[in-house]
Amino acid sequence: MAKSTGLGQTTLSVDNSAGTPCDIKNDITNWQMATPRGVQDVTGVDKSANERLLLLADVSVTYNGVFNPSASRAHDVFKTVPSTSVPRTCTNTVNGVTLAFEAVFSDYQLTRSDSGELTFSAPGALADGTVPTWS
């Protein structure tokens, strides 16, 4: 596959608190995802450069978007973040490659700007210890 942009061909779905996947891509204005690995420094005093070992894998995501209270849309998905403690399946597909993982969402932030926009941010982190793997 050739180099590509993030335009079009994107699927973003997140389970609601009942475990039903909801397509929320129309409400998302931007998102970021990270798949970091822990690193342990094991440099001996006999070295002149760092030595490291890779540790645990992780994934985090933050969805940012426009408030939409319609059924099965972003607000319907994230409104239960403060009142439930359930992991939710996140499926992000960009240009034919997918990363799906179980996440716990720790916040659902609403912002009403001084010019009138009503937006949200929802950060999530890996929930189940399964190594995130792109398809």
Side-chain angles (χ1 to χ4, degrees):
M1 174 179 260
K3 295 177 183 178
S4 55
T5 69
L7 302 175
Q9 307 221 353
T10 298
T11 301
L12 299 173
S13 69
V14 178
D15 286 1
N16 61 21
S17 60
T20 303
C22 299
D23 178 3
I24 61 170
K25 71 181 176 192
N26 185 256
D27 298 336
I28 303 300
T29 57
N30 64 83
W31 55 274
Q32 73 175 41
M33 188 167 41
T35 54
R37 295 282 304 265
V39 178
Q40 179 181 357
D41 187 334
V42 294
T43 308
V45 295
D46 62 334
K47 298 291 191 254
S48 296
N50 287 316
E51 263 184 301
R52 294 184 178 95
L53 297 174
L54 285 174
L55 302 174
L56 297 174
D58 201 359
V59 64
S60 63
V61 66
T62 300
Y63 297 111
N64 299 295
V66 178
F67 184 82
N68 182 351
S70 299
S72 298
R73 293 300 188 188
H75 176 69
D76 201 32
V77 169
F78 296 121
K79 70 183 180 184
T80 57
V81 166
S83 60
T84 61
S85 300
V86 295
R88 300 156 189 260
T89 302
C90 299
T91 306
N92 295 6
T93 302
V94 181
N95 296 314
V97 293
T98 300
L99 183 64
F101 55 93
E102 292 294 309
V104 289
F105 283 84
S106 57
D107 201 358
Y108 175 49
Q109 306 162 11
L110 293 178
T111 302
R112 195 279 190 183
S113 73
D114 57 358
S115 59
E117 293 98 346
L118 185 57
T119 60
F120 73 87
S121 180
L126 187 64
D128 66 354
T130 302
V131 175
T133 305
W134 286 94
S135 67

